[in-house]
Coordinates of all heavy atoms in Angstrom, one line a residue:
M1 N 0.8 -1.2 0.0 CA 0.0 0.0 0.0 C 0.9 1.3 0.0 O 0.4 2.3 -0.4 CB -0.9 0.0 1.2 CG -2.0 -1.1 1.1 SD -3.6 -0.8 1.9 CE -3.1 -0.2 3.5
K2 N 2.1 1.1 0.4 CA 3.0 2.3 0.4 C 3.2 2.8 -1.0 O 3.3 4.0 -1.3 CB 4.3 1.9 1.1 CG 4.2 1.7 2.5 CD 5.5 1.4 3.1 CE 5.4 1.1 4.6 NZ 6.6 0.8 5.3
D3 N 3.3 1.9 -2.0 CA 3.5 2.3 -3.4 C 2.3 3.0 -3.9 O 2.5 4.0 -4.6 CB 3.8 1.0 -4.2 CG 5.1 0.4 -4.0 OD1 6.0 1.1 -3.4 OD2 5.3 -0.8 -4.3
Q4 N 1.1 2.6 -3.5 CA -0.1 3.3 -4.0 C -0.1 4.7 -3.4 O -0.6 5.6 -4.1 CB -1.3 2.5 -3.6 CG -1.4 1.2 -4.5 CD -2.6 0.4 -4.1 OE1 -3.2 0.6 -3.1 NE2 -2.9 -0.6 -5.0
A5 N 0.3 4.8 -2.2 CA 0.3 6.2 -1.5 C 1.3 7.1 -2.2 O 1.0 8.3 -2.5 CB 0.6 6.1 0.0
K6 N 2.4 6.5 -2.6 CA 3.4 7.3 -3.4 C 2.8 7.7 -4.7 O 3.1 8.8 -5.2 CB 4.7 6.5 -3.6 CG 5.5 6.3 -2.3 CD 6.7 5.5 -2.6 CE 7.5 5.2 -1.3 NZ 8.7 4.4 -1.5
I7 N 2.1 6.8 -5.4 CA 1.5 7.1 -6.7 C 0.5 8.2 -6.5 O 0.5 9.2 -7.3 CB 0.9 5.9 -7.3 CG1 2.0 4.9 -7.7 CG2 0.0 6.2 -8.5 CD1 1.5 3.5 -8.1
I8 N -0.3 8.2 -5.5 CA -1.4 9.2 -5.3 C -0.7 10.5 -5.0 O -1.1 11.6 -5.5 CB -2.3 8.8 -4.2 CG1 -3.2 7.6 -4.7 CG2 -3.2 9.9 -3.8 CD1 -4.0 7.0 -3.6
A9 N 0.4 10.5 -4.2 CA 1.1 11.8 -3.8 C 1.7 12.4 -5.1 O 1.6 13.6 -5.3 CB 2.1 11.5 -2.8
A10 N 2.3 11.5 -5.9 CA 2.9 12.0 -7.2 C 1.9 12.6 -8.1 O 2.1 13.6 -8.8 CB 3.7 10.9 -7.8
L11 N 0.7 11.9 -8.1 CA -0.4 12.4 -9.0 C -0.8 13.8 -8.5 O -1.0 14.7 -9.3 CB -1.6 11.4 -8.9 CG -2.8 11.8 -9.6 CD1 -2.6 11.7 -11.1 CD2 -3.9 10.8 -9.2
L12 N -1.0 14.0 -7.2 CA -1.4 15.3 -6.7 C -0.4 16.3 -6.9 O -0.7 17.5 -7.3 CB -1.8 15.1 -5.2 CG -3.0 14.3 -4.9 CD1 -3.2 14.1 -3.4 CD2 -4.2 14.8 -5.5
V13 N 0.9 16.0 -6.8 CA 2.0 17.0 -7.0 C 2.0 17.3 -8.5 O 2.1 18.5 -8.9 CB 3.3 16.4 -6.6 CG1 4.5 17.3 -7.1 CG2 3.4 16.4 -5.0
G14 N 1.9 16.3 -9.4 CA 1.8 16.6 -10.8 C 0.6 17.5 -11.2 O 0.7 18.3 -12.0
A15 N -0.5 17.2 -10.5 CA -1.7 18.0 -10.8 C -1.5 19.5 -10.4 O -1.9 20.4 -11.2 CB -2.9 17.4 -10.1
A16 N -0.9 19.7 -9.3 CA -0.6 21.0 -8.8 C 0.3 21.7 -9.8 O 0.1 22.9 -10.1 CB -0.1 21.0 -7.4
A17 N 1.4 21.0 -10.2 CA 2.3 21.6 -11.1 C 1.7 21.9 -12.5 O 1.9 23.0 -13.1 CB 3.5 20.7 -11.3
G18 N 0.8 21.0 -12.9 CA 0.1 21.2 -14.2 C -0.8 22.4 -14.1 O -0.9 23.2 -15.0
A19 N -1.5 22.5 -13.0 CA -2.4 23.7 -12.8 C -1.6 25.0 -12.8 O -2.1 26.0 -13.4 CB -3.2 23.5 -11.5
A20 N -0.5 25.0 -12.1 CA 0.3 26.2 -12.1 C 0.8 26.6 -13.5 O 0.7 27.8 -13.8 CB 1.5 26.0 -11.1
L21 N 1.3 25.6 -14.2 CA 1.7 25.9 -15.6 C 0.6 26.4 -16.4 O 0.7 27.2 -17.3 CB 2.4 24.7 -16.2 CG 3.8 24.4 -15.7 CD1 4.3 23.0 -16.3 CD2 4.7 25.5 -16.1
G22 N -0.6 25.8 -16.2 CA -1.8 26.2 -17.0 C -2.1 27.6 -16.7 O -2.5 28.3 -17.6
L23 N -2.0 28.0 -15.5 CA -2.3 29.4 -15.2 C -1.3 30.4 -15.8 O -1.7 31.5 -16.3 CB -2.3 29.6 -13.6 CG -3.4 29.1 -12.9 CD1 -3.2 29.2 -11.4 CD2 -4.7 29.8 -13.2
L24 N -0.1 30.0 -15.9 CA 1.0 30.8 -16.4 C 0.9 30.9 -17.9 O 1.2 32.0 -18.5 CB 2.4 30.3 -16.0 CG 2.6 30.4 -14.5 CD1 4.0 29.8 -14.2 CD2 2.7 31.9 -14.0
L25 N 0.6 29.8 -18.6 CA 0.7 29.8 -20.0 C -0.7 29.9 -20.8 O -0.6 30.0 -22.0 CB 1.4 28.5 -20.4 CG 2.7 28.2 -19.8 CD1 3.2 26.9 -20.2 CD2 3.7 29.3 -20.3
A26 N -1.7 29.9 -20.1 CA -3.1 29.9 -20.7 C -3.4 31.3 -21.3 O -3.3 32.3 -20.5 CB -4.1 29.5 -19.8
P27 N -3.8 31.4 -22.5 CA -4.2 32.7 -23.1 C -5.7 32.9 -23.0 O -6.3 33.7 -23.8 CB -3.8 32.6 -24.6 CG -3.9 31.1 -24.9 CD -3.6 30.4 -23.6
E28 N -6.4 32.3 -22.1 CA -7.8 32.3 -22.0 C -8.3 33.4 -21.0 O -7.5 33.9 -20.2 CB -8.4 31.0 -21.6 CG -8.1 29.9 -22.6 CD -8.7 28.5 -22.1 OE1 -9.5 28.5 -21.2 OE2 -8.2 27.5 -22.6
K29 N -9.6 33.7 -21.0 CA -10.2 34.6 -20.0 C -10.1 33.9 -18.6 O -10.1 32.7 -18.5 CB -11.6 34.8 -20.3 CG -11.9 35.7 -21.5 CD -13.4 35.8 -21.6 CE -13.8 36.8 -22.6 NZ -15.3 36.9 -22.7
G30 N -10.1 34.7 -17.6 CA -10.0 34.2 -16.3 C -11.1 33.3 -15.9 O -10.9 32.3 -15.3
E31 N -12.3 33.7 -16.3 CA -13.5 32.8 -16.0 C -13.4 31.5 -16.6 O -13.7 30.4 -16.0 CB -14.8 33.6 -16.4 CG -16.1 32.8 -16.0 CD -17.3 33.6 -16.4 OE1 -17.3 34.9 -16.4 OE2 -18.3 32.9 -16.7
D32 N -13.0 31.4 -17.9 CA -12.9 30.2 -18.6 C -11.8 29.3 -18.0 O -11.9 28.1 -17.8 CB -12.6 30.4 -20.1 CG -13.7 31.0 -20.8 OD1 -14.9 30.9 -20.4 OD2 -13.5 31.6 -21.9
L33 N -10.7 30.0 -17.6 CA -9.6 29.3 -17.0 C -9.9 28.7 -15.7 O -9.6 27.6 -15.4 CB -8.4 30.2 -16.9 CG -7.1 29.6 -16.3 CD1 -6.6 28.5 -17.2 CD2 -6.0 30.7 -16.2
R34 N -10.7 29.5 -14.9 CA -11.1 29.0 -13.6 C -12.0 27.8 -13.7 O -11.9 26.8 -13.0 CB -11.8 30.1 -12.8 CG -10.8 31.1 -12.2 CD -11.5 32.0 -11.2 NE -12.6 32.8 -11.8 CZ -12.5 34.0 -12.4 NH1 -11.3 34.5 -12.5 NH2 -13.5 34.6 -12.9
G35 N -12.9 27.8 -14.7 CA -13.8 26.7 -15.0 C -13.0 25.4 -15.4 O -13.3 24.3 -14.9
E36 N -12.0 25.6 -16.3 CA -11.2 24.5 -16.7 C -10.4 23.9 -15.5 O -10.2 22.7 -15.4 CB -10.2 24.9 -17.8 CG -11.0 25.0 -19.1 CD -10.1 25.4 -20.3 OE1 -8.9 25.1 -20.2 OE2 -10.6 25.9 -21.3
I37 N -9.8 24.8 -14.7 CA -9.1 24.4 -13.5 C -10.0 23.6 -12.6 O -9.6 22.6 -12.0 CB -8.4 25.6 -12.8 CG1 -7.3 26.1 -13.7 CG2 -7.8 25.1 -11.5 CD1 -6.6 27.4 -13.2
A38 N -11.2 24.1 -12.4 CA -12.1 23.4 -11.5 C -12.5 22.0 -12.0 O -12.5 21.1 -11.2 CB -13.4 24.3 -11.3
D39 N -12.7 21.9 -13.3 CA -13.0 20.6 -13.9 C -11.8 19.7 -13.7 O -12.0 18.5 -13.4 CB -13.3 20.8 -15.4 CG -14.6 21.4 -15.7 OD1 -15.5 21.5 -14.7 OD2 -14.8 21.9 -16.8
Y40 N -10.6 20.2 -14.0 CA -9.4 19.4 -13.8 C -9.2 18.9 -12.4 O -8.9 17.7 -12.2 CB -8.2 20.2 -14.3 CG -6.9 19.5 -14.2 CD1 -6.6 18.5 -15.2 CD2 -5.9 19.8 -13.3 CE1 -5.4 17.8 -15.1 CE2 -4.7 19.1 -13.3 CZ -4.5 18.1 -14.2 OH -3.3 17.4 -14.2
V41 N -9.4 19.8 -11.4 CA -9.3 19.4 -10.0 C -10.3 18.4 -9.6 O -10.1 17.4 -8.9 CB -9.3 20.7 -9.1 CG1 -9.4 20.3 -7.7 CG2 -8.1 21.5 -9.4
N42 N -11.6 18.6 -10.1 CA -12.6 17.7 -9.8 C -12.3 16.3 -10.4 O -12.6 15.3 -9.8 CB -14.0 18.2 -10.4 CG -14.5 19.3 -9.6 OD1 -14.2 19.5 -8.4 ND2 -15.3 20.2 -10.2
D43 N -11.7 16.3 -11.6 CA -11.3 15.0 -12.2 C -10.3 14.3 -11.3 O -10.3 13.1 -11.1 CB -10.8 15.2 -13.6 CG -11.9 15.5 -14.6 OD1 -13.1 15.3 -14.3 OD2 -11.6 16.0 -15.7
L44 N -9.3 15.1 -10.9 CA -8.2 14.6 -10.0 C -8.8 14.0 -8.7 O -8.4 12.9 -8.3 CB -7.2 15.6 -9.7 CG -6.3 16.0 -10.9 CD1 -5.3 17.1 -10.4 CD2 -5.4 14.8 -11.3
I45 N -9.7 14.7 -8.1 CA -10.3 14.3 -6.9 C -11.1 13.0 -7.1 O -11.0 12.0 -6.3 CB -11.3 15.4 -6.3 CG1 -10.4 16.5 -5.8 CG2 -12.1 14.8 -5.2 CD1 -11.2 17.8 -5.4
A46 N -11.9 12.9 -8.2 CA -12.6 11.7 -8.5 C -11.7 10.5 -8.7 O -11.9 9.4 -8.2 CB -13.5 11.9 -9.8
T47 N -10.6 10.7 -9.4 CA -9.6 9.7 -9.6 C -9.0 9.2 -8.3 O -8.8 8.0 -8.1 CB -8.5 10.2 -10.6 OG1 -9.0 10.5 -11.8 CG2 -7.4 9.1 -10.8
A48 N -8.6 10.2 -7.4 CA -8.1 9.8 -6.1 C -9.1 9.1 -5.3 O -8.7 8.1 -4.6 CB -7.6 11.1 -5.4
K49 N -10.3 9.5 -5.3 CA -11.4 8.7 -4.6 C -11.5 7.3 -5.1 O -11.6 6.4 -4.3 CB -12.7 9.5 -4.7 CG -12.8 10.7 -3.8 CD -14.2 11.3 -3.9 CE -14.3 12.6 -3.1 NZ -15.7 13.2 -3.3
E50 N -11.5 7.2 -6.4 CA -11.7 5.8 -7.0 C -10.5 4.9 -6.6 O -10.6 3.8 -6.2 CB -11.7 5.9 -8.5 CG -13.0 6.4 -9.0 CD -13.0 6.7 -10.5 OE1 -12.1 6.2 -11.2 OE2 -13.9 7.3 -11.0
K51 N -9.3 5.5 -6.6 CA -8.1 4.8 -6.2 C -8.1 4.4 -4.7 O -7.8 3.3 -4.4 CB -6.8 5.6 -6.5 CG -5.6 4.9 -6.5 CD -5.5 3.9 -7.6 CE -4.1 3.5 -7.9 NZ -4.0 2.5 -8.9
A52 N -8.6 5.3 -3.9 CA -8.7 5.1 -2.5 C -9.7 4.0 -2.2 O -9.5 3.1 -1.4 CB -9.0 6.3 -1.7
Q53 N -10.8 4.0 -2.9 CA -11.9 3.0 -2.7 C -11.4 1.6 -3.2 O -11.6 0.6 -2.5 CB -13.1 3.4 -3.5 CG -14.3 2.5 -3.3 CD -14.8 2.5 -1.8 OE1 -14.9 3.5 -1.2 NE2 -15.0 1.3 -1.3
T54 N -10.7 1.6 -4.3 CA -10.1 0.3 -4.8 C -9.1 -0.2 -3.8 O -9.1 -1.4 -3.5 CB -9.4 0.5 -6.2 OG1 -10.4 1.0 -7.1 CG2 -8.8 -0.7 -6.7
T55 N -8.3 0.6 -3.3 CA -7.3 0.2 -2.3 C -8.0 -0.3 -1.0 O -7.6 -1.4 -0.5 CB -6.3 1.4 -1.9 OG1 -5.7 1.8 -3.1 CG2 -5.3 0.9 -0.9
A56 N -9.0 0.4 -0.6 CA -9.7 -0.1 0.6 C -10.4 -1.4 0.4 O -10.4 -2.3 1.2 CB -10.8 1.0 1.0
N57 N -11.0 -1.6 -0.8 CA -11.7 -2.8 -1.1 C -10.6 -4.0 -1.2 O -10.9 -5.1 -0.7 CB -12.4 -2.7 -2.5 CG -13.7 -1.9 -2.4 OD1 -14.2 -1.6 -1.3 ND2 -14.1 -1.4 -3.5
N58 N -9.5 -3.7 -1.8 CA -8.4 -4.7 -1.8 C -8.0 -5.1 -0.5 O -7.7 -6.3 -0.2 CB -7.3 -4.2 -2.7 CG -7.6 -4.2 -4.2 OD1 -8.6 -4.7 -4.6 ND2 -6.8 -3.5 -4.9
A59 N -7.8 -4.1 0.4 CA -7.4 -4.4 1.8 C -8.4 -5.2 2.5 O -8.1 -6.1 3.3 CB -7.1 -3.1 2.5
K60 N -9.7 -4.8 2.3 CA -10.8 -5.6 3.0 C -10.8 -7.0 2.5 O -10.9 -7.9 3.3 CB -12.1 -4.9 2.7 CG -13.3 -5.5 3.4 CD -14.5 -4.7 3.1 CE -15.7 -5.3 3.8 NZ -17.0 -4.6 3.5
E61 N -10.7 -7.2 1.2 CA -10.7 -8.6 0.7 C -9.5 -9.4 1.2 O -9.6 -10.6 1.6 CB -10.7 -8.5 -0.9 CG -10.7 -9.9 -1.5 CD -10.7 -9.8 -3.0 OE1 -11.0 -8.7 -3.6 OE2 -10.5 -10.8 -3.7
Y62 N -8.3 -8.8 1.2 CA -7.1 -9.5 1.7 C -7.3 -9.9 3.2 O -7.0 -11.0 3.6 CB -5.9 -8.6 1.6 CG -4.6 -9.2 2.1 CD1 -4.0 -10.1 1.4 CD2 -4.1 -8.8 3.3 CE1 -2.8 -10.7 1.9 CE2 -3.0 -9.4 3.8 CZ -2.3 -10.3 3.1 OH -1.2 -10.9 3.6
G63 N -7.8 -8.9 4.0 CA -8.1 -9.2 5.4 C -9.1 -10.3 5.6 O -8.9 -11.2 6.4
S64 N -10.1 -10.3 4.8 CA -11.1 -11.4 4.8 C -10.5 -12.7 4.5 O -10.8 -13.8 5.1 CB -12.3 -11.1 3.9 OG -13.2 -12.1 3.9
N65 N -9.7 -12.8 3.4 CA -9.0 -14.0 3.0 C -8.1 -14.5 4.1 O -8.0 -15.7 4.4 CB -8.2 -13.8 1.7 CG -9.1 -13.6 0.5 OD1 -10.3 -14.0 0.6 ND2 -8.6 -13.1 -0.5
V66 N -7.4 -13.6 4.8 CA -6.5 -14.0 5.9 C -7.3 -14.6 7.0 O -7.0 -15.7 7.6 CB -5.6 -12.8 6.4 CG1 -4.9 -13.1 7.7 CG2 -4.6 -12.4 5.3
V67 N -8.4 -14.0 7.4 CA -9.3 -14.5 8.5 C -9.8 -15.8 8.1 O -9.8 -16.8 9.0 CB -10.4 -13.5 8.8 CG1 -11.5 -14.1 9.7 CG2 -9.9 -12.2 9.4
D68 N -10.3 -16.0 6.9 CA -10.8 -17.3 6.5 C -9.7 -18.4 6.5 O -10.0 -19.5 7.0 CB -11.4 -17.2 5.1 CG -12.7 -16.4 5.0 OD1 -13.3 -16.2 6.0 OD2 -13.0 -16.0 3.9
S69 N -8.5 -18.0 6.1 CA -7.4 -19.0 6.2 C -7.1 -19.4 7.6 O -6.9 -20.6 7.9 CB -6.2 -18.4 5.5 OG -5.1 -19.2 5.6
V70 N -7.1 -18.4 8.5 CA -6.8 -18.7 9.9 C -7.9 -19.6 10.5 O -7.6 -20.5 11.2 CB -6.6 -17.4 10.7 CG1 -6.5 -17.7 12.2 CG2 -5.3 -16.7 10.2
K71 N -9.1 -19.3 10.2 CA -10.2 -20.1 10.7 C -10.1 -21.5 10.2 O -10.3 -22.4 11.0 CB -11.6 -19.5 10.3 CG -12.0 -18.3 11.0 CD -13.4 -17.8 10.5 CE -13.8 -16.6 11.3 NZ -15.1 -16.1 10.7
S72 N -9.8 -21.7 9.0 CA -9.7 -23.0 8.4 C -8.6 -23.8 9.1 O -8.8 -25.0 9.4 CB -9.5 -22.9 6.9 OG -9.2 -24.2 6.3
K73 N -7.4 -23.2 9.2 CA -6.3 -23.9 9.9 C -6.6 -24.2 11.3 O -6.3 -25.2 11.8 CB -5.1 -23.0 9.8 CG -4.5 -23.0 8.4 CD -3.3 -22.1 8.3 CE -2.8 -22.1 6.8 NZ -1.6 -21.4 6.6
F74 N -7.3 -23.3 12.0 CA -7.7 -23.5 13.4 C -8.7 -24.7 13.5 O -8.5 -25.5 14.4 CB -8.3 -22.2 14.0 CG -8.8 -22.4 15.4 CD1 -7.9 -22.4 16.5 CD2 -10.2 -22.6 15.7 CE1 -8.3 -22.6 17.8 CE2 -10.6 -22.8 17.0 CZ -9.7 -22.8 18.1
N75 N -9.7 -24.7 12.6 CA -10.6 -25.8 12.7 C -10.0 -27.1 12.4 O -10.3 -28.1 13.0 CB -11.8 -25.5 11.7 CG -12.7 -24.4 12.1 OD1 -12.8 -24.2 13.3 ND2 -13.4 -23.8 11.2
T76 N -9.0 -27.1 11.4 CA -8.3 -28.4 11.1 C -7.5 -28.8 12.3 O -7.5 -30.0 12.7 CB -7.3 -28.1 9.9 OG1 -8.1 -27.8 8.8 CG2 -6.5 -29.4 9.6
A77 N -6.9 -27.9 13.0 CA -6.1 -28.2 14.2 C -7.0 -28.7 15.3 O -6.6 -29.7 16.0 CB -5.3 -27.0 14.7
V78 N -8.1 -28.2 15.5 CA -9.1 -28.6 16.5 C -9.6 -30.1 16.2 O -9.6 -30.9 17.0 CB -10.3 -27.7 16.6 CG1 -11.4 -28.3 17.5 CG2 -9.8 -26.4 17.3
T79 N -9.9 -30.3 14.9 CA -10.3 -31.6 14.5 C -9.2 -32.6 14.7 O -9.4 -33.7 15.2 CB -10.7 -31.6 13.0 OG1 -11.8 -30.7 12.8 CG2 -11.1 -33.0 12.5
D80 N -8.0 -32.3 14.3 CA -6.8 -33.2 14.5 C -6.6 -33.5 16.0 O -6.3 -34.6 16.4 CB -5.6 -32.6 13.9 CG -5.6 -32.6 12.4 OD1 -6.4 -33.2 11.8 OD2 -4.7 -31.9 11.8
A81 N -6.8 -32.4 16.9 CA -6.6 -32.6 18.3 C -7.7 -33.5 18.9 O -7.5 -34.4 19.7 CB -6.7 -31.3 19.0
D82 N -9.0 -33.4 18.4 CA -10.1 -34.2 18.8 C -9.8 -35.7 18.4 O -10.0 -36.6 19.2 CB -11.4 -33.8 18.2 CG -11.9 -32.5 18.8 OD1 -11.5 -32.2 19.9 OD2 -12.8 -31.9 18.2
I83 N -9.3 -35.9 17.2 CA -9.0 -37.3 16.8 C -7.9 -37.9 17.6 O -7.9 -39.0 18.1 CB -8.6 -37.3 15.3 CG1 -9.8 -37.0 14.4 CG2 -8.0 -38.6 14.9 CD1 -9.5 -36.7 13.0
A84 N -6.8 -37.1 17.9 CA -5.7 -37.5 18.7 C -6.2 -37.9 20.1 O -5.8 -38.9 20.7 CB -4.6 -36.5 18.8
A85 N -7.1 -37.0 20.7 CA -7.6 -37.3 22.0 C -8.4 -38.6 22.0 O -8.3 -39.4 23.0 CB -8.5 -36.1 22.5
E86 N -9.3 -38.8 21.0 CA -10.0 -40.1 21.0 C -9.1 -41.3 20.9 O -9.4 -42.3 21.5 CB -11.0 -40.0 19.8 CG -12.2 -39.1 20.0 CD -13.1 -39.5 21.2 OE1 -13.3 -40.7 21.4 OE2 -13.5 -38.6 22.0
N87 N -8.1 -41.2 20.0 CA -7.1 -42.3 19.9 C -6.4 -42.5 21.2 O -6.2 -43.7 21.6 CB -6.1 -42.0 18.8 CG -6.7 -42.0 17.4 OD1 -7.7 -42.6 17.2 ND2 -6.0 -41.4 16.5
A88 N -6.0 -41.5 21.9 CA -5.3 -41.6 23.2 C -6.3 -42.3 24.2 O -5.9 -43.2 25.0 CB -4.8 -40.3 23.7
K89 N -7.5 -41.8 24.2 CA -8.5 -42.3 25.2 C -8.7 -43.8 24.9 O -8.8 -44.6 25.8 CB -9.9 -41.6 25.0 CG -10.9 -41.9 26.0 CD -12.3 -41.3 25.7 CE -12.3 -39.8 25.8 NZ -13.6 -39.3 25.6
S90 N -8.8 -44.2 23.6 CA -9.0 -45.6 23.3 C -7.8 -46.5 23.7 O -8.0 -47.6 24.3 CB -9.2 -45.7 21.8 OG -9.3 -47.0 21.4
K91 N -6.6 -45.9 23.6 CA -5.4 -46.7 24.0 C -5.4 -46.8 25.5 O -5.0 -47.9 26.0 CB -4.1 -46.0 23.5 CG -3.9 -46.1 22.0 CD -2.7 -45.4 21.5 CE -2.5 -45.5 20.0 NZ -1.3 -44.9 19.5
V92 N -5.7 -45.8 26.2 CA -5.7 -45.8 27.7 C -6.8 -46.9 28.1 O -6.5 -47.7 29.0 CB -6.0 -44.4 28.3 CG1 -6.3 -44.5 29.8 CG2 -4.8 -43.5 28.0
K93 N -8.0 -46.9 27.5 CA -9.0 -47.9 27.9 C -8.5 -49.3 27.6 O -8.7 -50.2 28.4 CB -10.3 -47.6 27.1 CG -11.1 -46.4 27.7 CD -12.4 -46.3 26.9 CE -13.2 -45.1 27.5 NZ -14.5 -44.9 26.8
G94 N -7.8 -49.4 26.5 CA -7.3 -50.7 26.1 C -6.2 -51.2 27.1 O -6.2 -52.4 27.5
A95 N -5.3 -50.3 27.5 CA -4.3 -50.6 28.4 C -4.9 -51.0 29.8 O -4.5 -51.9 30.4 CB -3.3 -49.5 28.5
A96 N -5.9 -50.2 30.2 CA -6.5 -50.4 31.5 C -7.2 -51.8 31.5 O -7.2 -52.5 32.5 CB -7.5 -49.3 31.8
S97 N -7.9 -52.1 30.4 CA -8.5 -53.4 30.2 C -7.5 -54.6 30.3 O -7.7 -55.6 30.9 CB -9.3 -53.5 28.9 OG -9.9 -54.7 28.8
D98 N -6.4 -54.4 29.6 CA -5.3 -55.4 29.6 C -4.8 -55.6 31.0 O -4.6 -56.7 31.5 CB -4.2 -55.0 28.7 CG -4.6 -55.1 27.2 OD1 -5.6 -55.7 26.9 OD2 -3.8 -54.5 26.4
W99 N -4.6 -54.5 31.7 CA -4.1 -54.6 33.1 C -5.1 -55.3 34.0 O -4.8 -56.1 34.9 CB -3.8 -53.2 33.7 CG -2.5 -52.5 33.1 CD1 -1.6 -53.1 32.4 CD2 -2.2 -51.2 33.2 NE1 -0.6 -52.2 32.0 CE2 -1.0 -51.0 32.5 CE3 -2.8 -50.1 33.8 CZ2 -0.4 -49.7 32.4 CZ3 -2.2 -48.8 33.7 CH2 -1.0 -48.7 33.0
N100 N -6.4 -54.9 33.8 CA -7.4 -55.5 34.6 C -7.5 -57.0 34.4 O -7.6 -57.8 35.3 CB -8.8 -54.9 34.2 CG -9.9 -55.4 35.1 OD1 -9.7 -55.7 36.3 ND2 -11.1 -55.3 34.6
N101 N -7.4 -57.5 33.1 CA -7.3 -58.9 32.8 C -6.1 -59.6 33.4 O -6.2 -60.7 33.9 CB -7.4 -59.1 31.3 CG -8.7 -58.7 30.7 OD1 -9.7 -58.7 31.4 ND2 -8.7 -58.4 29.4
T102 N -5.0 -58.9 33.3 CA -3.8 -59.5 33.9 C -3.9 -59.6 35.4 O -3.5 -60.7 35.9 CB -2.6 -58.5 33.6 OG1 -2.5 -58.4 32.2 CG2 -1.3 -59.1 34.1
V103 N -4.4 -58.6 36.1 CA -4.6 -58.7 37.5 C -5.6 -59.8 37.9 O -5.4 -60.6 38.8 CB -5.1 -57.3 38.1 CG1 -5.5 -57.4 39.5 CG2 -4.0 -56.3 37.9
Q104 N -6.7 -59.9 37.2 CA -7.7 -60.9 37.5 C -7.2 -62.3 37.2 O -7.6 -63.3 37.8 CB -9.0 -60.6 36.7 CG -9.7 -59.4 37.3 CD -11.1 -59.3 36.7 OE1 -11.6 -60.1 36.0 NE2 -11.7 -58.2 37.1
N105 N -6.3 -62.5 36.2 CA -5.8 -63.8 35.9 C -4.6 -64.2 36.7 O -4.2 -65.4 36.7 CB -5.4 -63.8 34.4 CG -6.6 -63.8 33.5 OD1 -7.7 -64.2 33.8 ND2 -6.3 -63.3 32.2
A106 N -4.1 -63.3 37.5 CA -2.9 -63.6 38.3 C -3.3 -64.3 39.6 O -4.3 -64.6 40.1 CB -2.2 -62.3 38.7

């Protein structure tokens, strides 16, 4: 996201420089020039908003994917732990039964 911030900053600096050059070099009436500058600035603002919205959506999607991945791994770990616990419980019951038979046969 740092690269996108740099791009937006460069875009805004370029827009300001372009507007300044436009003021210096334009042979138009002041009212016409102000209108063109306002349109240009509005276009820049719209572009910046679109870029910010796209960046926010991408960040939201990435975060959602990370959360889903973590949930999936956690659920897999819990399932594996449950299986291991059942296996251990079965082995303990088997060992206890074997000991019980050994004690009763002795």
